[in-house]
């Protein structure tokens, strides 16, 4: 669930960046099939891009200078098992269990709502009188106040509804399989339920469906003015199902549907607006791979509820969780001095690669996040991972860190201590 929440944060950023493009396309471009393709591809990009970005090896380094000591920059790369001083200021790490818990609660509530909606849909269909038609099933029900709608192969109409234009409209939804888009949008909204742009994107998808179905009705020699009046009449006082395509989709959108019927076809050049998705995607990807963003994602992904620190309790590092290097290392142990990862992380990565070569690859996880803290003289003070309960990992980390010392890092003329997180991926290690 931690990883899912981390991915949803990246997806939220992409939705915010891409939504203006989708809004312009739906409201300016009259090629509704093209709009539909752009919207579905956009959702695919929003979901896939965070997964791809999360698989890129990035290193976050945070110096322990005065900014960290005054809590202006939260200590994101430090393990929860490290001993910390009590503070009156709530940090991101302390809020994580509440934030993740709230996200999980929202997902569960919306998922339950989705199941209830499908149950209600099936109850309406099961109680209706069904008639097999060409390519769809017409369902007539006696419930009052429910707007005509379609889902899958079912077109559901009240007994009193005999308007031919409404039937043609719902046939368009059925034959074009609009219900698939709506289902994808529903689960996408559950994934990032806290982002209002996700719900606005779903509304754009359904609005484009209505534009496309309205165009089919207008193309069937139905009087446009009569159809517009019918649309206005059905937009008032009818309940709708959010999981289905409803004839009266939304009271606030029927005006745009009426105006769209009177507009001429858009120019072919308007489709080039979709090309702006690429720079928007690049900007969002860059923002999501900055050191601060990487630190946040690493902290969320590696967080364990069982290791939550209590702010008012005395925290003692357990021997099985944190490895402490003696303050005075024997001279024979310090065999190599390498640059600080602040300036060049490659030597330290090479050190871990050589250490992991001696480990049993079958016992090594696919990804290990190593957190290292060094003092002002470059000596390693602590080295922990998110897999400290794995003996093979602990031995490999100790083997990689107990024979090195970093070059001194200075803030002006003053040496400073450093702390950083280093992701090690199994796939990048020599086999």
């Amino acid at each position: 669930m931690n990883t899912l929440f981390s991915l949803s944060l990246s997806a939220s950023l992409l939705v915010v960046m891409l939504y203006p493009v989708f809004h312009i396309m739906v409201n300016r471009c009259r090629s509704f099939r093209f709009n539909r393709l752009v919207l579905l591809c956009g959702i695919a990009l929003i979901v896939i891009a965070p997964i791809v970005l999360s698989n890129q090896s990035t290193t976050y380094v945070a110096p322990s200078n005065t900014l960290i000591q005054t809590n202006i920059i939260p200590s994101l790369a430090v393990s929860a098992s490290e001993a910390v001083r009590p503070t009156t200021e709530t940090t991101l790490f302390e809020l994580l269990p509440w934030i993740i818990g709230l996200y999980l609660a929202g997902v569960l509530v919306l998922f339950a709502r989705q199941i209830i909606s499908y149950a209600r849909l099936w109850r309406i269909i099961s109680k209706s009188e069904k008639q097999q038609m060409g390519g769809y099933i017409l369902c007539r029900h006696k419930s009052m106040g429910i707007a005509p709608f379609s889902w899958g192969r079912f077109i559901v109409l009240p007994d009193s509804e005999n308007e031919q234009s409404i039937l043609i409209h719902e046939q368009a939804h059925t034959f074009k399989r609009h219900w698939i888009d709506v289902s994808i949008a529903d689960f996408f909204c559950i994934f990032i339920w806290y982002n209002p742009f996700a719900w606005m994107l779903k509304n754009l998808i359904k609005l484009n469906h209505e534009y496309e179905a309205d165009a089919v009705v207008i193309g069937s020699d139905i009087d446009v003015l009569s159809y517009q009046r019918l649309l206005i009449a059905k937009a008032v006082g009818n309940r709708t199902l959010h999981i289905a395509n409803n004839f009266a989709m939304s009271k606030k959108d029927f005006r745009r549907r009426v105006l769209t019927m009177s507009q001429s076809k858009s120019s072919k050049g308007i489709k080039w607006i979709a090309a702006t998705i690429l720079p928007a995607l690049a900007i969002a990807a860059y923002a999501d791979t900055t050191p601060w963003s990487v630190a946040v994602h690493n902290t969320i992904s590696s967080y364990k509820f069982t290791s939550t620190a209590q702010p008012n309790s005395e925290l003692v590092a357990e021997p099985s969780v944190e490895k402490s290097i003696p303050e005075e290392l024997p001279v024979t142990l310090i065999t190599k001095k390498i640059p600080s990862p602040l300036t060049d992380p490659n030597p330290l990565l090479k050190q871990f690669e050589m250490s992991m070569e001696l480990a049993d690859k079958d016992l090594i996880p696919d990804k290990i996040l190593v957190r290292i803290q060094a003092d002002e003289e470059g000596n390693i003070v602590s080295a922990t991972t998110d897999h400290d309960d794995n003996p093979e990992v602990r031995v490999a980390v100790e083997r990689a860190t107990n024979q090195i010392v970093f070059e001194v890092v200075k803030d002006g003329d003053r040496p400073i201590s450093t702390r950083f997180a280093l992701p090690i991926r199994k796939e990048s290690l020599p086999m």
Side-chain angles (χ1 to χ4, degrees), residues 67-310:
L67 291 178
I68 291 180
Q69 293 169 0
T70 56
N71 289 321
I72 296 177
I73 298 179
S75 180
L76 298 177
V78 181
S79 170
S81 61
E82 294 179 9
V84 296
R85 293 187 297 269
T87 176
T88 58
E89 190 168 340
T90 304
T91 64
L92 172 64
F93 200 85
E94 293 169 343
L95 289 175
L96 266 181
W98 300 98
I99 296 174
I100 296 174
L102 179 62
Y103 172 73
L104 175 59
V107 170
L108 293 177
V109 168
L110 290 175
F111 192 77
R113 171 177 175 258
Q114 196 76 0
I115 294 176
I116 293 172
S117 297
Y118 280 118
R120 183 187 173 199
L121 170 68
W122 185 250
R123 186 172 63 251
I124 294 175
I125 292 175
S126 62
K127 292 182 178 180
S128 301
E129 295 182 3
K130 303 175 186 64
Q131 182 179 359
Q132 184 73 42
M133 307 294 286
Y136 66 92
I137 300 175
L138 181 62
C139 302
R140 291 282 186 176
H141 65 89
K142 299 180 180 179
S143 301
M144 301 300 295
I146 299 179
F149 68 88
S150 60
W151 188 88
R153 298 177 57 221
F154 300 98
I155 295 179
V156 183
L157 301 176
D159 282 337
S160 58
E161 188 60 72
N162 295 308
E163 289 287 346
Q164 184 65 19
S165 56
I166 294 179
L167 181 58
I168 296 174
H169 181 98
E170 298 305 330
Q171 285 176 349
H173 285 311
T174 301
F175 295 148
K176 295 180 182 297
R177 296 181 173 85
H178 287 163
W179 67 274
I180 298 177
D181 304 13
V182 176
S183 298
I184 293 173
D186 280 335
F187 287 102
F188 177 73
C189 287
I190 294 175
F191 174 49
I192 49 175
W193 61 265
Y194 52 85
N195 191 327
F197 286 93
W199 300 95
M200 293 161 65
L201 176 56
K202 175 189 173 181
N203 187 70
L204 283 181
I205 291 174
K206 298 187 75 173
L207 182 61
N208 187 70
H209 290 169
E210 299 307 318
Y211 287 158
E212 191 171 18
D214 289 340
V216 173
V217 176
I218 299 304
S220 63
D221 296 330
I222 297 293
D223 181 66
V224 177
L225 184 58
S226 298
Y227 182 66
Q228 289 174 335
R229 289 174 178 171
L230 177 64
L231 179 62
I232 295 174
K234 295 297 181 181
V236 179
N238 287 310
R239 289 177 293 156
T240 60
L241 291 174
H242 76 276
I243 61 173
N245 291 106
N246 301 274
F247 180 77
M249 187 192 77
S250 172
K251 298 179 180 64
K252 65 180 181 180
D253 289 324
F254 80 88
R255 183 185 297 273
R256 281 192 284 178
R257 290 172 60 185
V258 170
L259 294 176
T260 299
M261 296 177 201
S262 305
Q263 294 177 359
S264 58
K265 292 185 178 180
S266 57
S267 62
K268 295 182 178 180
I270 197 69
K271 294 183 179 180
W272 284 103
I273 294 177
T276 57
I277 287 178
L278 297 179
L281 182 65
I283 294 173
Y286 172 78
D288 198 53
T289 53
T290 58
W292 188 86
S293 297
V294 171
V296 171
H297 291 308
N298 286 341
T299 302
I300 293 173
S301 298
S302 61
Y303 180 81
K304 297 180 181 179
F305 283 93
T306 55
S307 62
T308 303
Q310 299 298 325

Side-chain angles (χ1 to χ4, degrees), residues 282-354:
I283 294 173
Y286 172 78
D288 198 53
T289 53
T290 58
W292 188 86
S293 297
V294 171
V296 171
H297 291 308
N298 286 341
T299 302
I300 293 173
S301 298
S302 61
Y303 180 81
K304 297 180 181 179
F305 283 93
T306 55
S307 62
T308 303
Q310 299 298 325
N312 294 324
S313 62
E314 295 183 0
L315 301 179
V316 180
E318 297 179 3
S320 61
V321 177
E322 181 178 281
K323 177 182 75 65
S324 297
I325 304 299
E327 294 184 0
E328 297 184 0
L329 292 174
V331 177
T332 56
L333 290 180
I334 302 178
T335 60
K336 183 181 296 185
K337 190 170 186 177
I338 64 175
S340 168
L342 274 170
T343 56
D344 185 7
N346 290 325
L348 183 58
L349 283 171
K350 186 66 175 178
Q351 192 77 10
F352 272 98
E353 288 179 2
M354 292 188 295

